[in-house]
Amino acid sequence: MSIFDLIRFKNKNSATTAKERLQIVVSHQRSEQNQQPDFLPHLHKELVEVVSKYTDIDKEQIQVELQNEGDFSVLELNITLPSTADLT
Amino acid sequence: MSIFDLIRFKNKNSATTAKERLQIVVSHQRSEQNQQPDFLPHLHKELVEVVSKYTDIDKEQIQVELQNEGDFSVLELNITLPSTADLT
């Protein structure tokens, strides 16, 4: 099963096809030797900046979630994009 | 099921815990009204640049995959990070 299948599976029941949606997921699996603090909490603003170069983003329409479990951290951004009808 | 569960599920059987790994997945669900070309193909270099600010990346250890299906596009970067023992 590819990540593509997994994301489609996740979104299948929540899709509102009139909305443009963007999801960014960064997962970091650290080795046991790595005692450095995780950098994922610092990434989300820069990721939004990169995407903003290519599409309009309403910063109030961004949901950020960060989860940690053992050596595994996941940063998830869910962004509802303005519909193309709203763009000039 | 959260995206966190899904990614753990995907990685469970392929994990080599001695390796640091980073995965970035950007999925874009476009509305039917959006006739613009997809911007995901342009993102991957900039995403790598952002992450490079926080951790060393060997550019030969990056796998990039782009998949499209209907209004749904997914960009997936799989990066094997140098182990902390290799860093000075």
Side-chain angles (χ1 to χ4, degrees), chain A residues 3-4 8 20-21 23 25-29 31 34 46 53-54 69 74 76, chain B residues 3-4 8 20-21 23 25 27-29 31 34 46 53-54 69 74 76:
Chain A
I3 192 78
F4 190 65
R8 273 194 309 177
E20 296 256 332
R21 299 194 308 170
Q23 183 180 54
V25 179
V26 186
S27 59
H28 185 195
Q29 185 175 19
S31 70
N34 187 350
E46 292 185 69
K53 294 180 189 171
Y54 296 98
E69 193 178 297
V74 177
E76 179 179 347
Chain B
I3 193 76
F4 190 65
R8 273 193 310 176
E20 295 255 334
R21 300 194 308 170
Q23 182 179 57
V25 179
S27 58
H28 185 195
Q29 185 175 18
S31 69
N34 187 350
E46 292 186 68
K53 294 181 189 172
Y54 297 97
E69 193 177 296
V74 177
E76 180 179 345

PDB file of all heavy atoms in Angstrom, chain A residues 3-4 8 20-21 23 25-29 31 34 46 53-54 69 74 76, chain B residues 3-4 8 20-21 23 25 27-29 31 34 46 53-54 69 74 76:
ATOM      1  N   ILE A   3       1.804   5.430   0.107  1.00  0.00           N
ATOM      2  CA  ILE A   3       1.333   6.579   0.886  1.00  0.00           C
ATOM      3  C   ILE A   3       0.167   7.248   0.164  1.00  0.00           C
ATOM      4  O   ILE A   3      -0.729   7.814   0.777  1.00  0.00           O
ATOM      5  CB  ILE A   3       2.496   7.576   1.139  1.00  0.00           C
ATOM      6  CG1 ILE A   3       2.102   8.608   2.195  1.00  0.00           C
ATOM      7  CG2 ILE A   3       2.934   8.286  -0.136  1.00  0.00           C
ATOM      8  CD1 ILE A   3       2.165   8.097   3.588  1.00  0.00           C
ATOM      9  N   PHE A   4       0.192   7.164  -1.147  1.00  0.00           N
ATOM     10  CA  PHE A   4      -0.886   7.730  -1.963  1.00  0.00           C
ATOM     11  C   PHE A   4      -2.222   7.062  -1.610  1.00  0.00           C
ATOM     12  O   PHE A   4      -3.226   7.725  -1.366  1.00  0.00           O
ATOM     13  CB  PHE A   4      -0.524   7.487  -3.429  1.00  0.00           C
ATOM     14  CG  PHE A   4      -1.402   8.207  -4.402  1.00  0.00           C
ATOM     15  CD1 PHE A   4      -1.405   9.591  -4.451  1.00  0.00           C
ATOM     16  CD2 PHE A   4      -2.182   7.505  -5.288  1.00  0.00           C
ATOM     17  CE1 PHE A   4      -2.199  10.256  -5.372  1.00  0.00           C
ATOM     18  CE2 PHE A   4      -2.970   8.165  -6.217  1.00  0.00           C
ATOM     19  CZ  PHE A   4      -2.983   9.546  -6.261  1.00  0.00           C
ATOM     20  N   ARG A   8      -5.456   8.839   0.308  1.00  0.00           N
ATOM     21  CA  ARG A   8      -6.792   8.790  -0.299  1.00  0.00           C
ATOM     22  C   ARG A   8      -7.774   8.131   0.641  1.00  0.00           C
ATOM     23  O   ARG A   8      -8.910   8.542   0.786  1.00  0.00           O
ATOM     24  CB  ARG A   8      -6.740   8.023  -1.623  1.00  0.00           C
ATOM     25  CG  ARG A   8      -6.376   8.924  -2.765  1.00  0.00           C
ATOM     26  CD  ARG A   8      -6.657   8.237  -4.049  1.00  0.00           C
ATOM     27  NE  ARG A   8      -6.028   6.920  -4.038  1.00  0.00           N
ATOM     28  CZ  ARG A   8      -6.149   6.050  -5.027  1.00  0.00           C
ATOM     29  NH1 ARG A   8      -6.860   6.363  -6.084  1.00  0.00           N
ATOM     30  NH2 ARG A   8      -5.553   4.874  -4.969  1.00  0.00           N
ATOM     31  N   GLU A  20     -10.530  23.377  -2.389  1.00  0.00           N
ATOM     32  CA  GLU A  20      -9.151  22.992  -2.662  1.00  0.00           C
ATOM     33  C   GLU A  20      -8.493  22.704  -1.327  1.00  0.00           C
ATOM     34  O   GLU A  20      -8.597  23.523  -0.399  1.00  0.00           O
ATOM     35  CB  GLU A  20      -8.384  24.159  -3.281  1.00  0.00           C
ATOM     36  CG  GLU A  20      -8.852  24.608  -4.609  1.00  0.00           C
ATOM     37  CD  GLU A  20      -7.934  24.129  -5.715  1.00  0.00           C
ATOM     38  OE1 GLU A  20      -6.730  23.915  -5.492  1.00  0.00           O
ATOM     39  OE2 GLU A  20      -8.441  23.963  -6.816  1.00  0.00           O
ATOM     40  N   ARG A  21      -7.808  21.605  -1.242  1.00  0.00           N
ATOM     41  CA  ARG A  21      -7.153  21.299   0.026  1.00  0.00           C
ATOM     42  C   ARG A  21      -5.712  20.858  -0.206  1.00  0.00           C
ATOM     43  O   ARG A  21      -5.403  20.203  -1.208  1.00  0.00           O
ATOM     44  CB  ARG A  21      -7.930  20.216   0.772  1.00  0.00           C
ATOM     45  CG  ARG A  21      -9.342  20.693   1.070  1.00  0.00           C
ATOM     46  CD  ARG A  21     -10.040  19.840   2.066  1.00  0.00           C
ATOM     47  NE  ARG A  21      -9.990  18.430   1.712  1.00  0.00           N
ATOM     48  CZ  ARG A  21     -10.362  17.470   2.530  1.00  0.00           C
ATOM     49  NH1 ARG A  21     -10.763  17.756   3.744  1.00  0.00           N
ATOM     50  NH2 ARG A  21     -10.334  16.213   2.143  1.00  0.00           N
ATOM     51  N   GLN A  23      -2.407  19.175   1.950  1.00  0.00           N
ATOM     52  CA  GLN A  23      -1.956  18.559   3.188  1.00  0.00           C
ATOM     53  C   GLN A  23      -0.446  18.325   3.094  1.00  0.00           C
ATOM     54  O   GLN A  23       0.035  17.793   2.090  1.00  0.00           O
ATOM     55  CB  GLN A  23      -2.676  17.231   3.393  1.00  0.00           C
ATOM     56  CG  GLN A  23      -2.313  16.562   4.709  1.00  0.00           C
ATOM     57  CD  GLN A  23      -3.042  15.252   4.904  1.00  0.00           C
ATOM     58  OE1 GLN A  23      -2.984  14.379   4.044  1.00  0.00           O
ATOM     59  NE2 GLN A  23      -3.740  15.120   6.007  1.00  0.00           N
ATOM     60  N   VAL A  25       2.634  16.566   5.222  1.00  0.00           N
ATOM     61  CA  VAL A  25       2.968  15.713   6.356  1.00  0.00           C
ATOM     62  C   VAL A  25       4.477  15.471   6.338  1.00  0.00           C
ATOM     63  O   VAL A  25       5.026  15.011   5.339  1.00  0.00           O
ATOM     64  CB  VAL A  25       2.230  14.363   6.286  1.00  0.00           C
ATOM     65  CG1 VAL A  25       2.621  13.485   7.474  1.00  0.00           C
ATOM     66  CG2 VAL A  25       0.724  14.576   6.269  1.00  0.00           C
ATOM     67  N   VAL A  26       5.135  15.821   7.425  1.00  0.00           N
ATOM     68  CA  VAL A  26       6.568  15.552   7.553  1.00  0.00           C
ATOM     69  C   VAL A  26       6.740  14.570   8.699  1.00  0.00           C
ATOM     70  O   VAL A  26       6.335  14.848   9.829  1.00  0.00           O
ATOM     71  CB  VAL A  26       7.361  16.838   7.858  1.00  0.00           C
ATOM     72  CG1 VAL A  26       8.859  16.548   7.841  1.00  0.00           C
ATOM     73  CG2 VAL A  26       7.034  17.929   6.858  1.00  0.00           C
ATOM     74  N   SER A  27       7.292  13.420   8.405  1.00  0.00           N
ATOM     75  CA  SER A  27       7.526  12.465   9.483  1.00  0.00           C
ATOM     76  C   SER A  27       9.018  12.190   9.601  1.00  0.00           C
ATOM     77  O   SER A  27       9.733  12.048   8.614  1.00  0.00           O
ATOM     78  CB  SER A  27       6.734  11.174   9.255  1.00  0.00           C
ATOM     79  OG  SER A  27       7.087  10.582   8.046  1.00  0.00           O
ATOM     80  N   HIS A  28       9.471  12.184  10.827  1.00  0.00           N
ATOM     81  CA  HIS A  28      10.894  12.062  11.109  1.00  0.00           C
ATOM     82  C   HIS A  28      11.090  10.871  12.039  1.00  0.00           C
ATOM     83  O   HIS A  28      10.580  10.849  13.153  1.00  0.00           O
ATOM     84  CB  HIS A  28      11.382  13.356  11.773  1.00  0.00           C
ATOM     85  CG  HIS A  28      12.861  13.397  12.013  1.00  0.00           C
ATOM     86  ND1 HIS A  28      13.453  14.306  12.846  1.00  0.00           N
ATOM     87  CD2 HIS A  28      13.869  12.639  11.517  1.00  0.00           C
ATOM     88  CE1 HIS A  28      14.768  14.110  12.863  1.00  0.00           C
ATOM     89  NE2 HIS A  28      15.041  13.100  12.069  1.00  0.00           N
ATOM     90  N   GLN A  29      11.800   9.898  11.535  1.00  0.00           N
ATOM     91  CA  GLN A  29      12.120   8.730  12.342  1.00  0.00           C
ATOM     92  C   GLN A  29      13.572   8.870  12.764  1.00  0.00           C
ATOM     93  O   GLN A  29      14.474   8.819  11.921  1.00  0.00           O
ATOM     94  CB  GLN A  29      11.911   7.462  11.513  1.00  0.00           C
ATOM     95  CG  GLN A  29      12.113   6.207  12.316  1.00  0.00           C
ATOM     96  CD  GLN A  29      11.788   4.961  11.506  1.00  0.00           C
ATOM     97  OE1 GLN A  29      11.758   5.001  10.280  1.00  0.00           O
ATOM     98  NE2 GLN A  29      11.551   3.870  12.186  1.00  0.00           N
ATOM     99  N   SER A  31      17.114   8.004  14.873  1.00  0.00           N
ATOM    100  CA  SER A  31      17.831   6.842  15.409  1.00  0.00           C
ATOM    101  C   SER A  31      17.938   6.973  16.920  1.00  0.00           C
ATOM    102  O   SER A  31      17.790   8.074  17.476  1.00  0.00           O
ATOM    103  CB  SER A  31      19.232   6.752  14.802  1.00  0.00           C
ATOM    104  OG  SER A  31      20.034   7.803  15.292  1.00  0.00           O
ATOM    105  N   ASN A  34      20.397   9.607  18.312  1.00  0.00           N
ATOM    106  CA  ASN A  34      20.175  11.034  18.140  1.00  0.00           C
ATOM    107  C   ASN A  34      19.503  11.639  19.376  1.00  0.00           C
ATOM    108  O   ASN A  34      18.336  11.404  19.636  1.00  0.00           O
ATOM    109  CB  ASN A  34      19.308  11.285  16.906  1.00  0.00           C
ATOM    110  CG  ASN A  34      19.186  12.765  16.585  1.00  0.00           C
ATOM    111  OD1 ASN A  34      19.582  13.618  17.364  1.00  0.00           O
ATOM    112  ND2 ASN A  34      18.626  13.066  15.430  1.00  0.00           N
ATOM    113  N   GLU A  46       7.951  27.828   7.668  1.00  0.00           N
ATOM    114  CA  GLU A  46       8.730  27.863   6.421  1.00  0.00           C
ATOM    115  C   GLU A  46       8.073  27.038   5.317  1.00  0.00           C
ATOM    116  O   GLU A  46       8.133  27.388   4.145  1.00  0.00           O
ATOM    117  CB  GLU A  46      10.162  27.382   6.686  1.00  0.00           C
ATOM    118  CG  GLU A  46      10.896  28.383   7.550  1.00  0.00           C
ATOM    119  CD  GLU A  46      12.358  28.027   7.746  1.00  0.00           C
ATOM    120  OE1 GLU A  46      13.116  28.115   6.780  1.00  0.00           O
ATOM    121  OE2 GLU A  46      12.708  27.643   8.871  1.00  0.00           O
ATOM    122  N   LYS A  53       4.334  30.664  -2.304  1.00  0.00           N
ATOM    123  CA  LYS A  53       4.875  31.189  -3.565  1.00  0.00           C
ATOM    124  C   LYS A  53       4.059  30.707  -4.758  1.00  0.00           C
ATOM    125  O   LYS A  53       4.104  31.286  -5.831  1.00  0.00           O
ATOM    126  CB  LYS A  53       6.322  30.723  -3.748  1.00  0.00           C
ATOM    127  CG  LYS A  53       7.275  31.283  -2.733  1.00  0.00           C
ATOM    128  CD  LYS A  53       8.677  30.753  -3.030  1.00  0.00           C
ATOM    129  CE  LYS A  53       9.635  31.110  -1.911  1.00  0.00           C
ATOM    130  NZ  LYS A  53      10.928  30.440  -2.081  1.00  0.00           N
ATOM    131  N   TYR A  54       3.378  29.591  -4.580  1.00  0.00           N
ATOM    132  CA  TYR A  54       2.702  28.963  -5.717  1.00  0.00           C
ATOM    133  C   TYR A  54       1.189  29.078  -5.672  1.00  0.00           C
ATOM    134  O   TYR A  54       0.525  28.927  -6.683  1.00  0.00           O
ATOM    135  CB  TYR A  54       3.087  27.479  -5.781  1.00  0.00           C
ATOM    136  CG  TYR A  54       4.555  27.293  -6.035  1.00  0.00           C
ATOM    137  CD1 TYR A  54       5.438  27.046  -4.995  1.00  0.00           C
ATOM    138  CD2 TYR A  54       5.069  27.427  -7.321  1.00  0.00           C
ATOM    139  CE1 TYR A  54       6.793  26.902  -5.215  1.00  0.00           C
ATOM    140  CE2 TYR A  54       6.410  27.292  -7.562  1.00  0.00           C
ATOM    141  CZ  TYR A  54       7.278  27.027  -6.510  1.00  0.00           C
ATOM    142  OH  TYR A  54       8.620  26.901  -6.742  1.00  0.00           O
ATOM    143  N   GLU A  69       5.977  10.113  19.204  1.00  0.00           N
ATOM    144  CA  GLU A  69       5.847   8.832  19.899  1.00  0.00           C
ATOM    145  C   GLU A  69       7.189   8.130  19.787  1.00  0.00           C
ATOM    146  O   GLU A  69       7.597   7.723  18.688  1.00  0.00           O
ATOM    147  CB  GLU A  69       4.729   7.997  19.279  1.00  0.00           C
ATOM    148  CG  GLU A  69       4.369   6.811  20.159  1.00  0.00           C
ATOM    149  CD  GLU A  69       3.213   6.007  19.579  1.00  0.00           C
ATOM    150  OE1 GLU A  69       2.107   6.545  19.463  1.00  0.00           O
ATOM    151  OE2 GLU A  69       3.470   4.839  19.230  1.00  0.00           O
ATOM    152  N   VAL A  74       5.740  13.430  13.904  1.00  0.00           N
ATOM    153  CA  VAL A  74       4.992  13.754  12.680  1.00  0.00           C
ATOM    154  C   VAL A  74       4.430  15.164  12.796  1.00  0.00           C
ATOM    155  O   VAL A  74       3.768  15.500  13.786  1.00  0.00           O
ATOM    156  CB  VAL A  74       3.833  12.765  12.438  1.00  0.00           C
ATOM    157  CG1 VAL A  74       3.033  13.174  11.200  1.00  0.00           C
ATOM    158  CG2 VAL A  74       4.360  11.349  12.256  1.00  0.00           C
ATOM    159  N   GLU A  76       1.907  17.677  10.816  1.00  0.00           N
ATOM    160  CA  GLU A  76       0.848  17.604   9.805  1.00  0.00           C
ATOM    161  C   GLU A  76       0.228  18.990   9.654  1.00  0.00           C
ATOM    162  O   GLU A  76      -0.208  19.589  10.628  1.00  0.00           O
ATOM    163  CB  GLU A  76      -0.198  16.576  10.261  1.00  0.00           C
ATOM    164  CG  GLU A  76      -1.359  16.419   9.306  1.00  0.00           C
ATOM    165  CD  GLU A  76      -2.392  15.378   9.765  1.00  0.00           C
ATOM    166  OE1 GLU A  76      -2.099  14.599  10.703  1.00  0.00           O
ATOM    167  OE2 GLU A  76      -3.487  15.356   9.202  1.00  0.00           O
TER     168      GLU A  76
ATOM    169  N   ILE B   3      -3.362  10.411  10.348  1.00  0.00           N
ATOM    170  CA  ILE B   3      -2.267  10.272   9.390  1.00  0.00           C
ATOM    171  C   ILE B   3      -1.048   9.676  10.092  1.00  0.00           C
ATOM    172  O   ILE B   3      -0.246   8.960   9.494  1.00  0.00           O
ATOM    173  CB  ILE B   3      -1.919  11.634   8.736  1.00  0.00           C
ATOM    174  CG1 ILE B   3      -1.003  11.451   7.523  1.00  0.00           C
ATOM    175  CG2 ILE B   3      -1.305  12.599   9.727  1.00  0.00           C
ATOM    176  CD1 ILE B   3      -1.696  10.951   6.315  1.00  0.00           C
ATOM    177  N   PHE B   4      -0.943   9.955  11.374  1.00  0.00           N
ATOM    178  CA  PHE B   4       0.154   9.421  12.175  1.00  0.00           C
ATOM    179  C   PHE B   4       0.100   7.885  12.196  1.00  0.00           C
ATOM    180  O   PHE B   4       1.090   7.204  11.932  1.00  0.00           O
ATOM    181  CB  PHE B   4       0.003   9.975  13.593  1.00  0.00           C
ATOM    182  CG  PHE B   4       1.175   9.726  14.485  1.00  0.00           C
ATOM    183  CD1 PHE B   4       2.400  10.290  14.212  1.00  0.00           C
ATOM    184  CD2 PHE B   4       1.043   8.953  15.618  1.00  0.00           C
ATOM    185  CE1 PHE B   4       3.477  10.082  15.054  1.00  0.00           C
ATOM    186  CE2 PHE B   4       2.104   8.736  16.466  1.00  0.00           C
ATOM    187  CZ  PHE B   4       3.332   9.305  16.171  1.00  0.00           C
ATOM    188  N   ARG B   8       2.827   5.305  10.425  1.00  0.00           N
ATOM    189  CA  ARG B   8       3.464   4.248  11.216  1.00  0.00           C
ATOM    190  C   ARG B   8       3.171   2.880  10.612  1.00  0.00           C
ATOM    191  O   ARG B   8       4.016   2.013  10.540  1.00  0.00           O
ATOM    192  CB  ARG B   8       2.955   4.291  12.651  1.00  0.00           C
ATOM    193  CG  ARG B   8       3.756   5.240  13.484  1.00  0.00           C
ATOM    194  CD  ARG B   8       3.452   5.027  14.922  1.00  0.00           C
ATOM    195  NE  ARG B   8       2.007   5.022  15.131  1.00  0.00           N
ATOM    196  CZ  ARG B   8       1.435   4.777  16.294  1.00  0.00           C
ATOM    197  NH1 ARG B   8       2.174   4.503  17.337  1.00  0.00           N
ATOM    198  NH2 ARG B   8       0.128   4.810  16.413  1.00  0.00           N
ATOM    199  N   GLU B  20      18.327   7.311  10.327  1.00  0.00           N
ATOM    200  CA  GLU B  20      17.413   8.439  10.481  1.00  0.00           C
ATOM    201  C   GLU B  20      16.671   8.597   9.161  1.00  0.00           C
ATOM    202  O   GLU B  20      17.303   8.602   8.089  1.00  0.00           O
ATOM    203  CB  GLU B  20      18.195   9.729  10.694  1.00  0.00           C
ATOM    204  CG  GLU B  20      18.977   9.796  11.931  1.00  0.00           C
ATOM    205  CD  GLU B  20      18.321  10.696  12.977  1.00  0.00           C
ATOM    206  OE1 GLU B  20      17.569  11.612  12.626  1.00  0.00           O
ATOM    207  OE2 GLU B  20      18.579  10.447  14.148  1.00  0.00           O
ATOM    208  N   ARG B  21      15.389   8.736   9.240  1.00  0.00           N
ATOM    209  CA  ARG B  21      14.644   8.905   7.996  1.00  0.00           C
ATOM    210  C   ARG B  21      13.650  10.049   8.120  1.00  0.00           C
ATOM    211  O   ARG B  21      13.082  10.288   9.182  1.00  0.00           O
ATOM    212  CB  ARG B  21      13.914   7.612   7.641  1.00  0.00           C
ATOM    213  CG  ARG B  21      14.906   6.479   7.460  1.00  0.00           C
ATOM    214  CD  ARG B  21      14.300   5.284   6.806  1.00  0.00           C
ATOM    215  NE  ARG B  21      13.095   4.849   7.475  1.00  0.00           N
ATOM    216  CZ  ARG B  21      12.280   3.938   6.965  1.00  0.00           C
ATOM    217  NH1 ARG B  21      12.528   3.419   5.779  1.00  0.00           N
ATOM    218  NH2 ARG B  21      11.217   3.558   7.632  1.00  0.00           N
ATOM    219  N   GLN B  23      10.387  11.783   5.936  1.00  0.00           N
ATOM    220  CA  GLN B  23       9.459  11.649   4.816  1.00  0.00           C
ATOM    221  C   GLN B  23       8.598  12.911   4.756  1.00  0.00           C
ATOM    222  O   GLN B  23       8.067  13.346   5.777  1.00  0.00           O
ATOM    223  CB  GLN B  23       8.571  10.425   5.025  1.00  0.00           C
ATOM    224  CG  GLN B  23       7.614  10.183   3.870  1.00  0.00           C
ATOM    225  CD  GLN B  23       6.759   8.955   4.092  1.00  0.00           C
ATOM    226  OE1 GLN B  23       6.064   8.855   5.083  1.00  0.00           O
ATOM    227  NE2 GLN B  23       6.818   8.019   3.169  1.00  0.00           N
ATOM    228  N   VAL B  25       5.366  14.432   2.658  1.00  0.00           N
ATOM    229  CA  VAL B  25       4.296  14.120   1.716  1.00  0.00           C
ATOM    230  C   VAL B  25       3.413  15.355   1.571  1.00  0.00           C
ATOM    231  O   VAL B  25       2.913  15.881   2.567  1.00  0.00           O
ATOM    232  CB  VAL B  25       3.445  12.928   2.202  1.00  0.00           C
ATOM    233  CG1 VAL B  25       2.318  12.639   1.208  1.00  0.00           C
ATOM    234  CG2 VAL B  25       4.301  11.688   2.396  1.00  0.00           C
ATOM    235  N   SER B  27       0.042  16.540  -0.350  1.00  0.00           N
ATOM    236  CA  SER B  27      -1.064  16.105  -1.202  1.00  0.00           C
ATOM    237  C   SER B  27      -1.978  17.284  -1.465  1.00  0.00           C
ATOM    238  O   SER B  27      -2.279  18.081  -0.582  1.00  0.00           O
ATOM    239  CB  SER B  27      -1.818  14.938  -0.573  1.00  0.00           C
ATOM    240  OG  SER B  27      -2.314  15.285   0.680  1.00  0.00           O
ATOM    241  N   HIS B  28      -2.370  17.404  -2.705  1.00  0.00           N
ATOM    242  CA  HIS B  28      -3.159  18.546  -3.159  1.00  0.00           C
ATOM    243  C   HIS B  28      -4.426  18.016  -3.807  1.00  0.00           C
ATOM    244  O   HIS B  28      -4.372  17.302  -4.811  1.00  0.00           O
ATOM    245  CB  HIS B  28      -2.326  19.355  -4.170  1.00  0.00           C
ATOM    246  CG  HIS B  28      -2.984  20.621  -4.619  1.00  0.00           C
ATOM    247  ND1 HIS B  28      -2.564  21.315  -5.717  1.00  0.00           N
ATOM    248  CD2 HIS B  28      -4.027  21.329  -4.119  1.00  0.00           C
ATOM    249  CE1 HIS B  28      -3.323  22.395  -5.875  1.00  0.00           C
ATOM    250  NE2 HIS B  28      -4.217  22.421  -4.921  1.00  0.00           N
ATOM    251  N   GLN B  29      -5.535  18.379  -3.192  1.00  0.00           N
ATOM    252  CA  GLN B  29      -6.830  17.995  -3.751  1.00  0.00           C
ATOM    253  C   GLN B  29      -7.415  19.245  -4.392  1.00  0.00           C
ATOM    254  O   GLN B  29      -7.741  20.210  -3.703  1.00  0.00           O
ATOM    255  CB  GLN B  29      -7.736  17.489  -2.631  1.00  0.00           C
ATOM    256  CG  GLN B  29      -9.053  16.969  -3.140  1.00  0.00           C
ATOM    257  CD  GLN B  29      -9.885  16.369  -2.014  1.00  0.00           C
ATOM    258  OE1 GLN B  29      -9.643  16.635  -0.839  1.00  0.00           O
ATOM    259  NE2 GLN B  29     -10.859  15.571  -2.363  1.00  0.00           N
ATOM    260  N   SER B  31     -10.066  21.532  -6.738  1.00  0.00           N
ATOM    261  CA  SER B  31     -11.486  21.569  -7.091  1.00  0.00           C
ATOM    262  C   SER B  31     -11.612  21.362  -8.597  1.00  0.00           C
ATOM    263  O   SER B  31     -10.665  21.554  -9.358  1.00  0.00           O
ATOM    264  CB  SER B  31     -12.097  22.909  -6.680  1.00  0.00           C
ATOM    265  OG  SER B  31     -11.575  23.936  -7.494  1.00  0.00           O
ATOM    266  N   ASN B  34     -10.597  24.307 -10.880  1.00  0.00           N
ATOM    267  CA  ASN B  34      -9.200  24.734 -11.011  1.00  0.00           C
ATOM    268  C   ASN B  34      -8.553  24.097 -12.240  1.00  0.00           C
ATOM    269  O   ASN B  34      -8.272  22.913 -12.272  1.00  0.00           O
ATOM    270  CB  ASN B  34      -8.420  24.356  -9.753  1.00  0.00           C
ATOM    271  CG  ASN B  34      -7.012  24.920  -9.764  1.00  0.00           C
ATOM    272  OD1 ASN B  34      -6.547  25.442 -10.780  1.00  0.00           O
ATOM    273  ND2 ASN B  34      -6.332  24.829  -8.637  1.00  0.00           N
ATOM    274  N   GLU B  46      12.599  23.182  -3.056  1.00  0.00           N
ATOM    275  CA  GLU B  46      12.454  24.168  -1.972  1.00  0.00           C
ATOM    276  C   GLU B  46      12.179  23.496  -0.636  1.00  0.00           C
ATOM    277  O   GLU B  46      12.633  23.964   0.411  1.00  0.00           O
ATOM    278  CB  GLU B  46      11.351  25.167  -2.320  1.00  0.00           C
ATOM    279  CG  GLU B  46      11.781  26.036  -3.492  1.00  0.00           C
ATOM    280  CD  GLU B  46      10.790  27.134  -3.792  1.00  0.00           C
ATOM    281  OE1 GLU B  46      10.643  28.049  -2.976  1.00  0.00           O
ATOM    282  OE2 GLU B  46      10.146  27.062  -4.860  1.00  0.00           O
ATOM    283  N   LYS B  53      18.154  23.422   6.428  1.00  0.00           N
ATOM    284  CA  LYS B  53      18.547  24.408   7.446  1.00  0.00           C
ATOM    285  C   LYS B  53      18.652  23.764   8.819  1.00  0.00           C
ATOM    286  O   LYS B  53      19.319  24.274   9.704  1.00  0.00           O
ATOM    287  CB  LYS B  53      17.515  25.533   7.515  1.00  0.00           C
ATOM    288  CG  LYS B  53      17.432  26.380   6.266  1.00  0.00           C
ATOM    289  CD  LYS B  53      16.390  27.469   6.470  1.00  0.00           C
ATOM    290  CE  LYS B  53      16.118  28.198   5.169  1.00  0.00           C
ATOM    291  NZ  LYS B  53      14.994  29.124   5.287  1.00  0.00           N
ATOM    292  N   TYR B  54      17.947  22.667   9.001  1.00  0.00           N
ATOM    293  CA  TYR B  54      17.855  22.064  10.335  1.00  0.00           C
ATOM    294  C   TYR B  54      18.632  20.761  10.469  1.00  0.00           C
ATOM    295  O   TYR B  54      18.949  20.342  11.575  1.00  0.00           O
ATOM    296  CB  TYR B  54      16.381  21.825  10.693  1.00  0.00           C
ATOM    297  CG  TYR B  54      15.597  23.101  10.763  1.00  0.00           C
ATOM    298  CD1 TYR B  54      14.835  23.533   9.684  1.00  0.00           C
ATOM    299  CD2 TYR B  54      15.674  23.904  11.893  1.00  0.00           C
ATOM    300  CE1 TYR B  54      14.140  24.725   9.737  1.00  0.00           C
ATOM    301  CE2 TYR B  54      14.981  25.099  11.958  1.00  0.00           C
ATOM    302  CZ  TYR B  54      14.216  25.509  10.880  1.00  0.00           C
ATOM    303  OH  TYR B  54      13.542  26.689  10.926  1.00  0.00           O
ATOM    304  N   GLU B  69      -3.852  11.523  -9.777  1.00  0.00           N
ATOM    305  CA  GLU B  69      -5.038  10.738 -10.126  1.00  0.00           C
ATOM    306  C   GLU B  69      -6.230  11.667 -10.056  1.00  0.00           C
ATOM    307  O   GLU B  69      -6.609  12.115  -8.967  1.00  0.00           O
ATOM    308  CB  GLU B  69      -5.199   9.552  -9.174  1.00  0.00           C
ATOM    309  CG  GLU B  69      -6.210   8.560  -9.702  1.00  0.00           C
ATOM    310  CD  GLU B  69      -6.337   7.336  -8.796  1.00  0.00           C
ATOM    311  OE1 GLU B  69      -5.357   6.594  -8.647  1.00  0.00           O
ATOM    312  OE2 GLU B  69      -7.439   7.161  -8.246  1.00  0.00           O
ATOM    313  N   VAL B  74      -0.052  13.907  -5.408  1.00  0.00           N
ATOM    314  CA  VAL B  74       0.741  13.656  -4.211  1.00  0.00           C
ATOM    315  C   VAL B  74       2.234  13.701  -4.563  1.00  0.00           C
ATOM    316  O   VAL B  74       2.677  13.026  -5.486  1.00  0.00           O
ATOM    317  CB  VAL B  74       0.413  12.285  -3.573  1.00  0.00           C
ATOM    318  CG1 VAL B  74       1.312  12.029  -2.363  1.00  0.00           C
ATOM    319  CG2 VAL B  74      -1.047  12.220  -3.141  1.00  0.00           C
ATOM    320  N   GLU B  76       5.858  12.948  -2.874  1.00  0.00           N
ATOM    321  CA  GLU B  76       6.410  12.220  -1.732  1.00  0.00           C
ATOM    322  C   GLU B  76       7.932  12.262  -1.805  1.00  0.00           C
ATOM    323  O   GLU B  76       8.517  11.898  -2.816  1.00  0.00           O
ATOM    324  CB  GLU B  76       5.900  10.769  -1.787  1.00  0.00           C
ATOM    325  CG  GLU B  76       6.398   9.914  -0.645  1.00  0.00           C
ATOM    326  CD  GLU B  76       5.867   8.473  -0.712  1.00  0.00           C
ATOM    327  OE1 GLU B  76       4.913   8.193  -1.465  1.00  0.00           O
ATOM    328  OE2 GLU B  76       6.425   7.619  -0.009  1.00  0.00           O
TER     329      GLU B  76
END
